[in-house]
Structures are given as structure tokens and as C-alpha cells.
Amino acid sequence: MFSKAFFAIAALAVTVSAVPSPSAVCSGGRRASSKACCVWFDVLDDLQENLFDGGECGEETHESLRLTFHDAIGFSPKLFREGKFGGGGADGSIMHFADIETNFHANGGVDDIVETQRPFALAHGVSFADFIQFAGAVGVSNCAGGPRLQFLAGRSNVTKPSPDLLVPEPSDDNDKIFARMSDAGFSPNEVVDLLISHTVAAQDHVDASIPGTPLDSTPGSFDSQFFVETLLQGTLFPGNGSNVGEVMSPLGGELRLFSDNNIARDARTACEWQSFITDHSLMVTKFETVMAKLATLGHNPRTLTDCSEVIPVPAAMKLPAATLPAGKSLADVEGACAATPFPALSAAPGPATTVAPVPPS
Ligand code: HEM
């Protein structure tokens, strides 16, 4: 009896001592593992209140998440090997040198969020590089079923403009996208993992006549619908016809990117794509893993301070299982994973689905 209790207490002591105890008390009595993290609680309060409209998964969240990519992917070991400057990765250069980088064709539309975010970073005295990754992580934690991304702080404010042509375009073919992403360190399946972001996404510039048109029917929810709907046969253009980087989508009010369409159907990536349809927790875990890599491109993570405790824990909620949109059947699915059949989803009831635009906040 004694020995059982003793071992139970001893085991508990080991468990407790393995958890690093927060050593700094920050504003509002919140605790952080390092004093250097305290400023991020103040940034968090400001962002949730004044950028994300009290913690919504709306337009600013989507734009902030997109910006994490457009800053970080400006990183090319290939260019460095050729003796050229290959970019600083997640270095804030898109904000420092907005006059240069927001004019790159692939960065169309990011100028708005860059200028919206800039005063927040300046007000709190944090680096643009850290701020961009922090805002993306906080924003996506607001989305139903969303991830809790790692956040490391300490990127410096010293950098140079990224070279042009490092950000993939929606009109690029798969080989071009995979080659560019491989240069930055991502496998084709990791490109799919990054594209999980498009589950909370809308477009303004591919077809400028229909701003706010989402890429799936549930842009406020970090669910798997994007992976279902991109595999349905395209039947219509939601706006003014075919645009560069666009292919037909299956639903009124929804736009499909040429690149998403092709990556969903590529033998190299089709199974990763399909795997998320019935496994939301896998989708969240893969996104958390790949975003940790994206957010530290161009940095040695060991030189940064882990302030992940500041990122809100997304509200626990059970999302509805992925469905075929109302009016669709399995005959409309263009499944492309040779190893696994497309899951037997049922169709939502009611008249054919039409998707509403994301309202500007
Ligand atoms: C193959 C790589 C990618 C391509 C070609 C691509 C392309 C695009 C395009 C064309 C848009 C619409 C922009 C507009 O018209 O306003 C978009 C939106 C978006 N992208 Fe990507 N993207 C890629 C990867 C990523 C990654 C890695 C992330 C984040 C980790 C991301 C996050 C987003 C988000 C959140 C939006 C919605 C923005 C909004 O609603 O304002 N994308 N993407």
C-alpha cells in the first residue's frame, strides 16, 4: 500500500517538474516563461480588440495569415548558392520595404494589411518580422476549429528587400510551384499542408469584380470543406468569366484557383489532399507543424525565444463532419488519390449551395 502511494507521488513529482514553470508575471497577472514574452500579451490585447474586431475570423485574419507566407517565402538558398542575395525569409522585409515588395505581382493586395498592421508593430516597439508571424498566429486561433501555432520571438529588424519572383502565383503549374517551394525547404506534401490556410480564405484580386469571394463555402471555419470542394468538378465562373490563375468552381459565389485545382489532382499530392477530408485533427496538427517551419525561414529557431504561451487556445468545438454541398453527389467528385478511395460523404440537405462573400470588416 505504502509503496504504491509513494510511487504515485514520485511519478507526479517527475511530471510536474518536467513542465517549465512560468517565471515572469506580465500585464493582467498573466504568466510567461520569459520576461521577453510579456510585451506580446499587450500586442495580443490590442490586436484582438482593434484589428480582429473582438476576436473574429474575418477579412483581417485571412489577410494576416496570407501575409505570414508572403513575407517568409522570400527566401532562396538557390540564389545564395549562385552568389546572389536570396532574401531573409520571415524577416519583415515586406513591411520594411513595402514600396518595393508590395509591387511584386504575386503580392497583389497585401499592401492593405501591411499598412494596417504597421502602426500596431510600431506602437509596441516589436520587430516587423515577429509582428507579422504573431498576427497570423493570433488571427487563425480565432477561427472555429483552428490551430494553436507556435510563436517564437526575437527576429531582428535589420534586413534587405526580398528578390522578386519568389512568391508562387496561382497561375503557376505544379512543377514550378513544387520547385520554388522545394528551394525554400518544403516537400510537395508540405505544400498541401501549407494550403490548409486556404480553408479560411477569400480572394479580392484574381477576379477583382467580386472581392471577398471565398475559396470554400466556410471561410470563417478552419474545417475540411476546402479539400472536398476543390475536388468537385468545376461548372461555373463566379464573376466576370475566366481570369488568370482561376478555373471553374463548383459553387456559385466560390472561386477556385488554378494552382489549388492542380495540386488537389496531382499524383504527388492527391492523397495528402484527400486525407484531410475525414481527419480534422490531422489537418490541424500538420498545419501547426508546417507553419512552425514557415515562420522561421531564414532563422535558427534556437536563437529565438518561445512565447507560444501568448497565443490563445482556440475554443474547443466539434465541427460538423465534411459534407458534399447540397445539390452535389459522389458522381461530381474528381478523386485523384490512387491509394485510397474518396470517402463516402453524404450531401447536405436543401437546395444547391451558393456561397456568400466575406464581408469587409
Ligand atoms: C502555392 C502557393 C500559394 C498560392 C499560389 C496562393 C495564392 C493565393 C491567391 C491568388 C489568393 C487570393 C488573393 C486575392 O486575390 O486577394 C490567396 C489567398 C490567400 N492565401 Fe494563398 N496561396 C498560396 C499559399 C498560401 C500559403 C502558404 C498561405 C498561408 C500559410 C496562404 C494563405 C492565404 C490566405 C489566408 C488567403 C486569403 C486572403 C484573404 O482572404 O484576404 N496561401 N492565395
Side-chain angles (χ1 to χ4, degrees):
M1 179 69 193
F2 165 78
S3 60
K4 240 182 172 179
F6 174 79
F7 284 121
I9 291 165
L12 186 67
V14 169
T15 315
V16 169
S17 68
V19 178
S21 56
S23 61
V25 181
C26 312
S27 61
R30 290 168 291 190
R31 290 183 170 269
S33 51
S34 159
K35 187 85 192 138
C37 298
C38 280
V39 64
W40 294 103
F41 280 117
D42 302 329
V43 182
L44 170 70
D45 295 343
D46 198 2
L47 278 183
Q48 292 289 49
E49 184 66 23
N50 300 309
L51 182 64
F52 299 134
D53 304 314
E56 284 187 359
C57 178
E59 195 188 13
E60 279 76 21
T61 282
H62 301 172
E63 290 182 353
S64 297
L65 185 58
R66 182 177 179 224
L67 190 61
T68 64
F69 177 55
H70 287 243
D71 188 36
I73 203 64
F75 180 64
S76 171
K78 180 167 172 281
L79 286 179
F80 281 114
R81 282 196 302 276
E82 292 166 1
K84 301 172 197 153
F85 177 64
D91 61 353
S93 63
I94 204 162
M95 196 174 280
H96 277 285
F97 303 104
D99 52 332
I100 298 171
E101 290 192 32
T102 62
N103 289 316
F104 296 166
H105 186 263
N107 286 340
V110 301
D111 51 333
D112 277 357
I113 192 67
V114 166
E115 296 316 323
T116 306
Q117 285 190 1
R118 185 194 303 278
F120 288 89
L122 291 173
H124 292 279
V126 295
S127 75
F128 289 165
D130 280 351
F131 184 87
I132 289 170
Q133 297 306 323
F134 183 75
V138 171
V140 75
S141 77
N142 291 333
C143 302
R148 189 181 193 211
L149 301 186
Q150 182 186 62
F151 172 63
L152 306 185
R155 298 166 192 79
S156 100
N157 245 345
V158 180
T159 187
K160 292 200 280 181
S162 165
D164 195 1
L165 307 179
L166 297 183
V167 182
E169 295 266 12
S171 53
D172 289 343
D173 66 27
N174 288 359
D175 286 350
K176 185 169 180 189
I177 291 175
F178 292 155
R180 170 75 273 278
M181 295 301 287
S182 164
D183 175 29
F186 297 96
S187 68
N189 278 346
E190 286 177 318
V191 175
V192 176
D193 301 347
L194 284 167
L195 286 171
I196 293 169
S197 55
H198 283 183
T199 188
V200 286
Q203 72 82 43
D204 293 332
H205 299 92
V206 178
D207 184 341
S209 73
I210 46 167
T213 301
L215 306 185
D216 79 349
S217 61
T218 54
S221 177
F222 201 87
D223 63 9
S224 308
Q225 277 304 119
F226 170 74
F227 292 98
V228 176
E229 292 168 19
T230 43
L231 280 173
L232 294 171
Q233 188 184 19
T235 53
L236 57 89
F237 289 108
N240 65 2
S242 172
N243 293 276
V244 176
E246 180 186 11
V247 294
M248 282 199 278
S249 95
L251 302 175
E254 174 173 308
L255 185 137
R256 182 182 292 172
L257 300 179
F258 173 81
S259 48
D260 288 342
N261 183 79
N262 296 347
I263 294 171
R265 288 160 178 73
D266 191 302
R268 291 166 285 185
T269 44
C271 293
E272 184 79 355
W273 196 276
Q274 186 179 286
S275 71
F276 298 140
I277 293 174
T278 48
D279 198 341
H280 176 258
S281 68
L282 176 75
M283 189 180 106
V284 169
T285 308
K286 291 257 180 143
F287 192 62
E288 289 169 344
T289 303
V290 81
M291 286 300 286
K293 197 165 161 181
L294 181 76
T296 52
L297 279 186
H299 299 274
N300 176 354
R302 284 195 216 102
T303 63
L304 303 175
T305 306
D306 192 343
C307 297
S308 302
E309 65 264 25
V310 182
I311 304 298
V313 179
M317 64 176 71
K318 191 159 165 39
L319 293 174
T323 52
L324 295 169
K328 302 290 178 186
S329 75
L330 286 171
D332 298 309
V333 173
E334 297 174 336
C337 170
T340 318
F342 189 84
L345 303 183
S346 52
T353 306
T354 302
V355 186
V358 177
S361 353

